[in-house]
Amino acid sequence: MKNLFYLVLVFLTLASSANAQSNSAAGGDQTQLDDLIGRFDSDSDYALSCRAAVDAFSEEFKKAPNNPYAALYLGRSYDHLASIGGYCPYPNSLFLMYSDSTLYYYRLADRLQPGIKEKKFNFVVPNMIGHLFGSRCLWYMKKGRFDEARKELAKGMSEGGFAPAQIEYCRLMLDYCDSNSIFFPCGDDDTFPTMYLQMVEGYRPDVSVVNASLLSMSWYLKMFLGKNHPRIKPVAVTMTDKEIDTLENPEYVATVPDRIYTEIDGEARTRIQKELGIDGLEKAEICFPFYERSSRGSKELYYTFGAQKAIASILLANKWKRHIYFGSGGLDGFLKCTHVAVRKGGLIDELYPITTEQAEHFMNGGKWFDQKKMKSLYLSDVKMPKFMQNQNNSNGQMMIYYVLSEYLSLLGPKDGAADKIYAMIKSIPRQYLEGYEQGVLSAVQYLYNGGFKKEAHDESMSILPFIEKKISSPRTSITSDDNDYLYALLFAGECNRAETFINSFDIPKNTKAEYLRVIREGYGCN
């Protein structure tokens, strides 16, 4: 099973694979184009970086101007060239021209083959257009031209780059954040729609929305240290000006800390006492940057990058005055939080200034979450209907399925709201879920681990017909689709069918024995 934390961003773009047009209709050498695409997507072929990629895909497009993938990847190569991260050196004045070229070829590819997706992440064209206008917004923000930045986000919305599914998902994330909090989203799909909500709609401007990945660039961090734009809520840092100016340089150290502590602001201690009924500590441990081991000459050193350093500096300066939230997968990707209490939010996670031992006292079924706040969102007769009504496609329905399943697992079967939440899950037409089998299984795993065994059984059985179409034949190796089918059987409690399925494979005896052991011991199949 894939890491669950990263699946939400995949749900925004995954759908059943569309077939490319035939070679004869598209023209050109499809094999050569496919090879070029594979090299480009690998990110390891330096001969295909920057301008060289544009030149290569331009040649393919000249040969086959009706081939949708030639157009799509010519757009992607321009997009890569114009990357806001500055990986490809070019005159700054060319950025808008390159991004205009990107938009032209993306639109052309979608006209030639509606619903076409790039092959690495399965992004559809509208999704990539959203990313593009987000980058254009950042380009203007870097120059301090905030009104033009706002207009780029508005254009991204009018061009269909921010789907209703994304907008309402990000609105729920902002709704979860307490007033005057700091929120670290991590990807394009939870950052740019959130920026649109704040900068265009003026929604929740009290929250500092700071993309964790972009903090690796000093200009981006500096933007949050001033008060030069009403749509950006500033943050404080402990870093010096020199440290900020050299943020892009990796930091090498001889030793790494075991723990780092910071003072807890008096108002934060009062808040803890009021909310949890316990006395807050004067100091609490905070997360600190991940350090990787590296050999430099004869020395063994450790290094970390700008984004990790910047996030840790913001946490240190904050002294727990403002609530701290991270988007899906962000916390584990940037910081080490071994002894820091993390409160699950379903949509996002919150760092909390108490010890992990104190947090255990408030756990429900091994999980610690803000039940009152989550019910106010998920059981709202205003917010949830709006969220669900905007998900009138497979992407959106899958997002609802995933979000509600995770929340249901946090509630637990004994909670009186569980029936209402599961009724929402059951209301999703099952045809919307075909093609999303791995995502459904991740959601079903939430149900299974949360004690909803009957519900997990029913949901698994509902998608088994979709997965059965994909299982391998002849069965000489176990593919990812085979694994999906096996998990669906196990979550459904179909132990005998699971064992029969594994025994049908012609695979090494020790491999088969290990699968059978996991089935019997891990899923109660005796």
Side-chain angles (χ1 to χ4, degrees):
M1 299 284 289
K2 292 186 176 179
N3 190 319
L4 302 185
F5 292 106
Y6 293 99
L7 282 169
V8 172
L9 300 183
V10 178
F11 295 158
L12 295 171
T13 53
L14 275 176
S16 56
S17 298
N19 293 323
Q21 294 184 2
S22 66
N23 294 355
S24 58
D29 187 340
Q30 187 66 37
T31 301
Q32 181 174 320
L33 177 60
D34 288 343
D35 177 66
L36 196 63
I37 290 171
R39 290 167 56 200
F40 180 81
D41 281 344
S42 72
D43 290 327
S44 59
D45 191 338
Y46 296 108
L48 259 188
S49 61
C50 300
R51 187 72 212 186
V54 171
D55 293 340
F57 283 111
S58 292
E59 286 300 314
E60 292 301 314
F61 182 73
K62 289 177 184 177
K63 298 175 190 173
N66 292 321
N67 188 313
Y69 279 97
L72 182 69
Y73 273 82
L74 179 53
R76 283 205 66 208
S77 63
Y78 271 115
D79 198 357
H80 190 264
L81 182 60
S83 169
I84 196 66
Y87 301 111
C88 298
Y90 60 87
N92 196 267
S93 59
L94 294 179
F95 171 81
L96 292 178
M97 185 186 76
Y98 288 153
S99 62
D100 284 343
S101 298
T102 301
L103 184 61
Y104 172 82
Y105 287 110
Y106 280 170
R107 286 172 173 162
L108 175 60
D110 208 37
R111 285 199 302 270
L112 291 171
Q113 184 175 310
I116 189 173
K117 305 183 193 77
E118 57 86 43
K119 297 185 177 184
K120 185 174 183 179
F121 299 110
N122 283 325
F123 287 143
V124 292
V125 167
N127 196 245
M128 292 189 284
I129 287 176
H131 299 170
L132 177 66
F133 278 99
S135 292
R136 289 171 69 104
C137 168
L138 292 174
W139 187 80
Y140 281 114
M141 292 177 81
K142 184 178 180 180
K143 296 178 174 296
R145 295 157 64 177
F146 293 107
D147 188 57
E148 290 162 289
R150 184 189 63 79
K151 289 178 181 178
E152 291 298 328
L153 292 174
K155 288 179 187 176
M157 186 66 174
S158 65
E159 291 279 351
F162 306 131
Q166 294 172 286
I167 293 295
E168 295 309 319
Y169 183 81
C170 291
R171 194 187 304 275
L172 275 180
M173 287 196 292
L174 286 174
D175 287 340
Y176 189 89
C177 294
D178 282 272
S179 61
N180 192 37
S181 56
I182 303 173
F183 171 42
F184 294 100
C186 303
D188 292 349
D189 292 316
D190 58 355
T191 298
F192 295 139
T194 306
M195 290 172 62
Y196 168 84
L197 286 169
Q198 286 195 315
M199 295 177 66
V200 179
E201 292 191 6
Y203 192 76
R204 293 300 308 272
D206 60 298
V207 179
S208 296
V209 178
V210 188
N211 180 276
S213 300
L214 292 174
L215 280 174
S216 61
M217 296 179 284
S218 59
W219 72 264
Y220 183 76
L221 176 58
K222 289 177 181 179
M223 190 171 62
F224 284 90
L225 302 182
K227 299 179 180 179
N228 55 348
H229 185 51
R231 300 296 190 205
I232 292 180
K233 180 79 171 180
V235 298
V237 295
T238 58
M239 304 176 78
T240 65
D241 290 343
K242 182 178 180 180
E243 288 173 326
I244 294 172
D245 288 337
T246 58
L247 193 62
E248 287 88 349
N249 301 330
E251 177 185 63
Y252 289 87
V253 296
T255 59
V256 295
D258 289 327
R259 298 186 178 189
I260 296 178
Y261 293 86
T262 185
E263 295 177 1
I264 302 178
D265 180 71
E267 291 184 7
R269 293 202 299 272
T270 301
R271 169 166 53 87
I272 295 169
Q273 173 63 43
K274 182 179 180 180
E275 182 181 355
L276 302 179
I278 61 175
D279 292 330
L281 304 173
E282 291 187 2
K283 289 187 177 183
E285 183 174 349
I286 66 166
C287 307
F288 58 90
F290 272 119
Y291 282 85
E292 300 287 342
R293 188 188 298 272
S294 173
S295 297
R296 291 176 67 83
S298 60
K299 294 182 179 180
E300 286 289 326
L301 298 175
Y302 299 86
Y303 69 92
T304 192
F305 292 104
Q308 288 89 329
K309 291 188 291 184
I311 295 170
S313 180
I314 292 171
L315 297 185
L316 277 169
N318 184 49
K319 296 183 179 179
W320 301 102
K321 294 176 184 177
R322 304 168 66 184
H323 289 260
I324 300 290
Y325 300 95
F326 280 82
S328 296
L331 198 53
D332 295 329
F334 290 91
L335 299 175
K336 183 175 181 180
C337 302
T338 309
H339 306 283
V340 182
V342 179
R343 185 152 66 172
K344 306 300 292 182
L347 299 167
I348 57 181
D349 297 327
E350 179 184 5
L351 293 183
Y352 216 79
I354 63 176
T355 66
T356 51
E357 292 76 17
Q358 288 174 318
E360 288 176 3
H361 177 74
F362 301 98
M363 285 185 175
N364 176 15
K367 306 177 185 75
W368 183 45
F369 64 103
D370 191 335
Q371 190 174 51
K372 181 179 179 181
K373 182 188 292 185
M374 292 183 74
K375 284 186 176 181
S376 72
L377 292 179
Y378 290 110
L379 300 180
S380 168
D381 292 331
V382 176
K383 295 183 182 298
M384 281 311 294
K386 183 177 181 182
F387 178 55
M388 297 185 75
Q389 287 166 8
N390 275 283
Q391 320 304 323
N392 56 356
N393 53 53
S394 292
N395 291 340
Q397 294 291 344
M398 186 60 243
M399 186 182 297
I400 294 172
Y401 192 92
Y402 180 85
V403 169
L404 292 180
S405 296
E406 183 176 13
Y407 174 47
L408 192 59
S409 74
L410 290 171
L411 279 178
K414 296 180 181 180
D415 193 282
D419 289 343
K420 182 174 181 180
I421 296 297
Y422 188 59
M424 293 184 198
I425 293 174
K426 291 293 287 183
S427 71
I428 298 172
R430 287 308 182 259
Q431 68 265 26
Y432 281 125
L433 304 182
E434 185 169 6
Y436 290 85
E437 287 77 18
Q438 284 195 339
V440 172
L441 286 172
S442 296
V444 171
Q445 186 175 33
Y446 277 129
L447 300 179
Y448 185 89
N449 293 340
F452 292 89
K453 297 300 171 64
K454 181 182 183 303
E455 291 80 1
H457 169 274
D458 293 346
E459 295 307 304
S460 295
M461 295 301 290
S462 73
I463 65 163
L464 270 175
F466 304 151
I467 306 177
E468 282 179 319
K469 300 175 184 178
K470 299 182 175 182
I471 57 178
S472 61
S473 180
R475 296 178 182 171
T476 55
S477 63
I478 298 178
T479 67
S480 60
D481 291 328
D482 297 329
N483 271 319
D484 289 346
Y485 184 68
L486 176 62
Y487 277 114
L489 290 173
L490 292 173
F491 292 147
E494 297 287 324
C495 296
N496 291 336
R497 290 177 65 183
E499 289 197 20
T500 300
F501 179 62
I502 290 299
N503 282 321
S504 70
F505 282 86
D506 182 16
I507 55 178
K509 290 182 178 180
N510 60 334
T511 302
K512 185 179 293 186
E514 179 61 18
Y515 267 95
L516 293 173
R517 184 192 67 78
V518 171
I519 289 172
R520 291 163 185 161
E521 296 179 8
Y523 294 87
C525 296
N526 297 315

